[in-house]
Amino acid sequence: MHAVLNLTPEQDVKLGQIIAKVQDLPSMPAAATRVLQITGSADTNAQMIADAIVLDQALAAKVLKIANSAFYGLSRSVTMVKEAVVVLGISHVRNLVITASAAPWMRRALPGYDLEPKQLLLHGSAVAIGARMIAKSRRLTVADDAFVAGLLADIGKIVLSEYFDGKLATMISLGAQAGMTFDQVETKVMGFDHACVGARLAEDWNLPATLVHAIRYHHAPSEAPEAYRPLCDCIHLADYLTMLCGFGMGGDGMFYEVDEAAFERLGINANDLDHIVDEFVTAYQHQEALFEEISQS
Amino acid sequence: MSSASTSTRLMVNMAEIHVLTGAGQLVGLGLGSCIGLAAYDGSKKIAGLAHIVLPEAFVDRAVTEPGKFADTALPELIRKMELAGASRASLKFAYCGGANVFKFGPGKTNDVLEVGRRNADAVKAVLSKFSCRVVAHDVGGNSGRTMTFDVATGLIQVKVLSVGQEDLCTLS
C-alpha cells in the first residue's frame, strides 16, 4: 500500500515495473532504517542507537572510521559505537549513518542526467546542509529530518537515469519549447517524475512518512499535506540554493520551478536571499571535508 | 599566483580567485548562478579567474572573501594579476555563468530571486566602471556551465551540461 503517492492501481503497477527493471537498485540497510525509527521516538538513547548500528558490522566500521577521521579531530580515538554516539551526539550519528549507507549508490555516475560520479552525493549533501540550516534558522523541529530528506530528495533519479540515457538533450529541448520544467517532462515521458519515484523507493524501504512526503513534494511544496509542508518548504528552498551554487548540477540544470510561497510560509523575506546564499556557502564549505570523508568510506 | 606546467589544472572554487602564468588551465566547475570572470595578459601569458557567487558585498559584514562578490572580485582580480606581473592596460576580460531557474511559480513578486541575472548585471556594471576590455560573455539560460581557461593560449571554452563544449573566445 503506497499511501503517500495516492496512485491508481494501474499507476502503482506501472511505477513498480519501472523500478523493478532497474538493475542494481539502491537499498537502505535495515540497520539504517532502524536508526531512523529509533531516533524518531522521544525516549531514544545512545545505547539503543549503538545496538541498532552494530547489527550491521560494515556500517558500524564506517561510523567508527568517520568518527575517528581528521574532520572531527577527537582528542582520542573512539573504539565503540556507543562511545561515538555519546561523543558526536545522537542526531549527528543518525545523519552520518544515513549518509554512509546512501553513499555507495549516491556516488555512482548517472548518465541519464549527465551527472559525473559523486555528483548526486554532492548535490544531496548540499541540499541536506541547506535544509537543516533553514530549519534551524526558522526554529523548526524538523532540522534532523530536513538533513536526511534533503540528502535523499533526488534518489528517484537513480532509477530514471536508466531510462534517460542518450535522451536528455532532447528532453530538455522539448521541455524548454513547451514551457515545461524538467520534472514535468519526466512525468510526460515516464508517467512519474523523480520525486514520485524517490518517494516510492523510500516507502519500499519503510522510511518514516515524514521523509517520504518530503521526497515526494520537494519540487511542489504547496501541494504537500499541511502537516508536512514546513519540511517540504525547507527542502525546496535548499534545493534552490543548491542549484544557484551549482553543487552537483546535472544536465537538467535549473529547469525547475521555484515556489515563492515557500519563502512566505517560512517567514523568509526574499530580499534576504543573498545573505542566505552566503550563509549556505559558508555552511557547505565547513562540512565539505566530512562528506569527502564519507564518500571515500 | 603560481607558475604552472602544461598539465596543471587548477579548480577555482566558489569565492576563489586564482592566477597562473605560462601554462596550465584554470577551471570554473559547476557555474549555476555564479559567474566565472577571466582576465588575461596575452603578452606575458598571465591568466586569472574569479568564481563570483553574489552581486554585491554586504554593507553590514566585513569582506573576508573578495572573490565572492562582483564588486570586490574585479579589483582583487586586477590586483592579483598586477602582482603576478601583468600590465593593467593589457588586460582583456571574458565571463560566463549567471543561469536562472526556469520558472518562478505562481505569484512571483520579487526579482531578487533571479540571482543569476543580478550577478550578470553586476559583473557587466563593474567591468564598465573599471573601463575593462570585455572580449566575450555567455550568460543566462537555465543550464550549468563549466569554464576552462587555457593559460598558454588564452582560449576559453564553456561546457554546457547536456549540450556540449564550445569555444567562447581567445583572450590573446
Side-chain angles (χ1 to χ4, degrees):
Chain A
M1 181 63 187
H2 302 287
V4 176
L5 291 173
N6 198 23
L7 303 175
T8 65
E10 293 77 18
Q11 287 174 318
D12 196 52
V13 169
K14 185 180 176 191
L15 180 52
Q17 288 171 339
I18 287 170
I19 292 172
K21 280 184 186 169
V22 175
Q23 291 184 342
D24 203 10
L25 201 61
S27 63
M28 186 61 76
T33 308
R34 179 80 182 124
V35 168
L36 277 178
Q37 289 162 348
I38 294 170
T39 51
S41 78
D43 58 353
T44 186
N45 60 48
Q47 187 63 58
M48 290 164 71
I49 309 292
D51 288 347
I53 293 171
V54 297
L55 287 176
D56 185 330
Q57 284 300 307
L59 186 59
K62 280 183 189 175
V63 168
L64 286 175
K65 184 182 172 199
I66 296 163
N68 287 309
S69 69
F71 179 82
Y72 291 110
L74 300 180
S75 56
R76 62 183 177 82
S77 64
V78 292
T79 54
M80 306 290 285
V81 172
K82 185 187 172 189
E83 208 180 351
V85 179
V86 171
V87 171
L88 300 179
I90 287 174
S91 68
H92 198 100
V93 168
R94 164 190 144 129
N95 294 343
L96 199 154
V97 162
I98 302 305
T99 309
S101 300
W105 33 265
M106 285 190 75
R107 61 183 171 220
R108 291 183 201 161
L110 298 185
Y113 286 86
D114 212 354
L115 275 169
E116 304 275 325
K118 285 193 187 180
Q119 293 303 301
L120 182 67
L121 181 59
L122 175 62
H123 182 90
S125 306
V127 178
I129 290 166
R132 183 177 55 185
M133 182 192 85
I134 293 164
K136 281 191 169 178
S137 75
R138 308 327 292 169
R139 299 182 190 283
L140 299 174
T141 56
V142 294
D144 289 327
D145 283 335
F147 184 94
V148 176
L151 179 76
L152 301 177
D154 278 347
I155 53 173
K157 287 184 177 179
I158 296 171
V159 171
L160 293 185
S161 174
E162 303 261 335
Y163 295 89
F164 296 163
D165 198 2
K167 299 175 185 165
L168 183 64
T170 305
M171 288 171 66
I172 288 170
S173 174
L174 291 175
Q177 286 169 20
M180 295 164 72
T181 57
F182 193 74
D183 46 329
Q184 289 172 330
V185 176
E186 288 174 330
T187 302
K188 190 169 179 64
V189 172
M190 298 297 298
F192 308 93
D193 64 11
H194 69 268
C196 274
V197 177
R200 172 65 176 268
L201 283 177
E203 277 192 327
D204 290 347
W205 299 340
N206 293 316
L207 297 192
T210 313
L211 296 178
V212 179
H213 279 89
I215 294 168
R216 167 65 185 87
Y217 293 105
H218 73 277
H219 283 301
S222 291
E223 295 173 17
E226 197 170 343
Y228 299 103
R229 215 171 281 155
L231 179 59
C232 297
D233 287 339
C234 291
I235 310 301
H236 184 70
L237 290 196
D239 192 49
Y240 176 44
L241 295 176
T242 302
M243 283 192 279
L244 290 177
C245 294
F247 292 132
M249 186 177 280
D252 51 336
M254 300 171 82
F255 286 91
Y256 291 97
E257 179 173 306
V258 170
D259 184 354
E260 197 179 344
F263 281 83
E264 292 162 15
R265 284 193 294 267
L266 289 169
I268 293 174
N269 185 335
N271 290 322
D272 291 334
L273 180 61
D274 289 5
H275 280 94
I276 296 168
V277 171
D278 186 43
E279 287 159 12
F280 171 61
V281 170
T282 303
Y284 181 80
Q285 288 169 335
H286 181 67
Q287 295 281 313
E288 195 173 11
L290 175 60
F291 280 101
E292 186 59 32
E293 187 77 39
I294 292 172
S295 80
Q296 305 289 343
S297 67
Chain B
M1 189 276 295
S2 56
S3 296
S5 69
T6 50
S7 61
T8 299
R9 188 172 159 86
L10 185 59
M11 308 307 287
V12 183
N13 297 314
M14 296 180 87
E16 291 181 345
I17 299 173
H18 287 297
V19 173
L20 281 178
T21 60
Q25 290 183 329
L26 292 163
V27 180
L29 182 68
L31 299 167
S33 291
C34 298
I35 302 272
L37 172 61
Y40 194 59
D41 180 336
S43 62
K44 294 173 182 166
K45 298 194 185 306
I46 300 172
L49 183 63
H51 189 146
I52 296 165
V53 182
L54 289 165
E56 288 181 333
F58 303 118
V59 292
D60 58 344
R61 293 182 194 179
V63 177
T64 55
E65 297 172 287
K68 188 179 277 183
F69 308 99
D71 59 344
T72 53
L74 178 63
E76 180 66 7
L77 175 61
I78 292 172
R79 190 188 72 79
K80 287 193 165 186
M81 293 290 289
E82 289 182 319
L83 202 63
S87 159
R88 179 164 178 174
S90 303
L91 293 182
K92 293 179 183 175
F93 294 83
Y95 59 99
C96 74
N100 293 288
V101 289
F102 186 62
K103 261 186 194 178
F104 289 93
K108 175 182 175 256
T109 59
N110 202 322
D111 290 343
V112 169
L113 295 176
E114 294 177 40
V115 178
R117 181 189 54 73
R118 289 193 292 119
N119 276 341
D121 289 348
V123 168
K124 183 181 178 184
V126 73
L127 285 164
S128 172
K129 179 181 169 187
F130 280 77
S131 303
C132 296
R133 270 188 292 170
V134 178
V135 175
H137 66 273
D138 173 25
V139 296
N142 313 108
S143 295
R145 296 171 171 87
T146 292
M147 182 180 195
T148 305
F149 186 6
D150 187 78
V151 179
T153 63
L155 173 66
I156 294 177
Q157 294 175 305
V158 178
K159 181 183 178 188
V160 178
L161 288 171
S162 86
V163 175
Q165 181 165 285
E166 290 190 356
D167 294 351
L168 176 65
C169 65
T170 301
L171 286 181
S172 56

